[in-house]
Amino acid sequence: MVGRTRILAGAAGLLVAAVLGAGLALGGAALFGDLGKTTTVREIQAAASPAAATAISGNGARLSINDIYKRAAPGVVQVTSTTIVNVPADPFFGNPLLPQQQRQQSLGSGFVVDKAGHIVTNFHVVDGAKQVRVSFSNGASMKATVVGTDPSSDLAVLEIDASSRALTPLPLGDSDQIKVGDPVVAIGNPFGLDRTVTSGIVSAIQRAITAPNGYTIDHVIQTDASINHGNSGGPLLNGRGEVIGVNSQIETGGSGSGGNVGIGFAVPSNTVKTVIAQLIRQGRIDRAFIGISAVPITRDLARVFRLPVSKGLLVQSVQPGSGAAKAGLKAGTTQVVLAGESYNLGGDIIVEAGGVPVASLDRLRDVVAGKKPGDKLQLKIYRGSKQTSAAVELGRQPAAAG
């Protein structure tokens, strides 16, 4: 059963003089399925375990935690975003007649990626911000401009006007090369505690989490390095001091305590590279959109219901007006239940997209992600027992998952 994931929103929210929990509660289905809820984080665990320290320092070219920290910390920033919130009229507190607008501040993390002054952070750290400031380890604080945001990957790029000599960019590593068990270090500002370092390992790879707009973020890195409320947007580094992910969410286990249970999630650096390059170039991301929901075929499903193939994607719904609808794709209309899971049978089964076999949702998303709006995507499908094909003209991804 999927537990509850929580977005690592700002370390603290300040509404006038009161300290508030600056969290963003999220739910809803991603394009291909419901991946659970997101909210905020509460607990601190700042100390690195001796085992993790040994793992990092004792493997060839890998650096010690202290070496990684000394190299990377100058490039890690605290991000302070200011938003304007409406406070309703209250006969017992404040103005009893009129609602008021007040400033709210929240804290997150980020890191420098080049000498031009670009900084990466999470989208949810700066979402709706009227003003953004960043502060460095030397105490310098300056105004930042939001260059672009991408809710679908929960990433944002900021820009500051600073001397290139004063900036320490962090190198982006290759997240495709990481393996389960690799040592990692997280640097950020949990609860406003500047440039806190924690360490752990890569607990799993190829996870999927829900973005702030309800779509799915694929190829996510899971770690047991302690990341908490305020770590949002901070780097997850490998043993060579390269950024392999941007810390974004944690799992709370559904206990209701809201605390860190040692399961955190980071958007992988290869996704970061692609997204920030487009944000810096054009300030936005134009994503292709096929316009279906689907579920993967299981071995039991194929056997029990005598499907024509044992691998592929069952089309569950087709969004009206989408490229898939215009191409004539059919959704299943006969609902069945197998092992407690509901499926709509009788629709098309997608077995290939762009010449690539697609037995999983993330594989189809990868194929679509490699296209642009307006591109044609050739699908190989089964309709009943007959194999056929369909050419889908991909549209532009809506702002939020339906």
Side-chain angles (χ1 to χ4, degrees):
M1 183 178 72
V2 176
R4 290 170 44 178
T5 57
R6 301 196 166 215
I7 273 187
L8 303 176
L14 305 177
L15 180 58
V16 195
V19 178
L20 302 177
L24 176 61
L26 295 172
L31 178 59
F32 299 106
D34 187 356
L35 293 176
K37 295 183 178 179
T38 53
T39 42
T40 50
V41 195
R42 300 190 185 278
E43 199 169 310
I44 284 186
Q45 294 175 336
S49 69
T54 301
I56 291 177
S57 62
N59 191 346
R62 290 186 176 134
L63 305 170
S64 70
I65 294 173
N66 183 253
D67 286 337
I68 294 172
Y69 181 78
K70 286 192 293 186
R71 293 187 185 194
V76 178
V77 302
Q78 179 170 284
V79 180
T80 304
S81 61
T82 302
T83 56
I84 305 298
V85 296
N86 292 316
V87 179
D90 192 305
F92 299 103
F93 300 98
N95 190 326
L97 300 177
L98 298 173
Q100 298 179 355
Q101 286 192 328
Q102 295 180 323
R103 295 174 52 177
Q104 178 175 304
Q105 288 188 326
S106 60
L107 305 181
S109 303
F111 58 95
V112 179
V113 290
D114 59 31
K115 289 285 189 177
H118 292 116
I119 292 170
V120 170
T121 188
N122 279 138
F123 161 77
H124 72 261
V125 170
V126 297
D127 182 25
K130 298 298 183 183
Q131 184 184 75
V132 180
R133 296 189 68 84
V134 299
S135 58
F136 290 82
S137 57
N138 61 3
S141 176
M142 59 192 69
K143 183 179 178 181
T145 301
V146 178
V147 173
T149 62
D150 180 38
S152 295
S153 63
D154 197 15
L155 294 172
V157 174
L158 313 177
E159 186 174 16
I160 57 173
D161 183 10
S163 167
S164 61
R165 297 174 62 185
L167 299 176
T168 304
L170 302 191
L172 292 172
D174 183 356
S175 54
D176 287 346
Q177 298 303 312
I178 65 171
K179 298 179 178 61
V180 173
D182 284 354
V184 290
V185 167
I187 304 176
N189 305 285
F191 304 96
L193 300 172
D194 297 357
R195 277 155 287 278
T196 296
V197 62
T198 59
S199 68
I201 61 169
V202 173
S203 304
I205 55 176
Q206 301 301 328
R207 295 301 196 201
I209 60 175
T210 305
N213 60 0
Y215 290 108
T216 300
I217 306 175
D218 288 312
H219 312 302
V220 169
I221 301 165
Q222 179 184 325
T223 180
D224 66 351
S226 183
I227 52 179
N228 292 281
H229 192 47
N231 276 111
S232 284
L236 185 70
L237 304 112
N238 62 18
R240 292 178 295 278
E242 299 167 329
V243 177
I244 56 165
V246 176
N247 299 316
S248 298
Q249 296 183 19
I250 67 164
E251 173 75 29
T252 61
S255 64
S257 66
N260 186 341
V261 294
I263 300 175
F265 302 102
V267 178
S269 58
N270 286 356
T271 298
V272 176
K273 292 175 189 177
T274 301
V275 169
I276 67 173
Q278 292 185 58
L279 291 179
I280 291 172
R281 185 170 62 250
Q282 60 189 32
R284 69 183 190 280
I285 303 292
D286 288 327
R287 281 191 164 81
F289 182 71
I290 189 170
I292 65 166
S293 66
V295 294
I297 294 174
T298 66
R299 184 181 304 173
D300 287 344
L301 190 67
R303 176 181 54 82
V304 172
F305 295 101
R306 298 183 180 181
L307 300 180
V309 290
S310 59
K311 292 182 179 180
L313 298 174
L314 290 167
V315 177
Q316 301 294 282
S317 66
V318 178
Q319 184 167 313
S322 67
K326 293 174 183 177
L329 263 66
K330 305 293 184 183
T333 56
T334 302
Q335 188 174 72
V336 299
V337 177
L338 180 66
E341 296 288 336
S342 295
Y343 302 90
N344 292 326
L345 300 185
D348 293 335
I349 299 174
I350 302 172
V351 292
E352 282 188 13
V356 178
V358 286
S360 65
L361 298 176
D362 58 348
R363 193 65 178 137
L364 178 59
R365 286 193 291 260
D366 283 346
V367 173
V368 173
K371 304 290 185 178
K372 301 186 297 295
D375 286 352
K376 288 285 183 69
L377 180 62
Q378 196 73 24
L379 301 179
K380 182 185 289 186
I381 64 175
Y382 276 84
R383 183 165 291 166
S385 59
K386 290 183 60 176
Q387 181 182 303
T388 184
S389 62
V392 177
E393 182 175 334
L394 299 173
R396 181 171 279 102
Q397 179 179 281

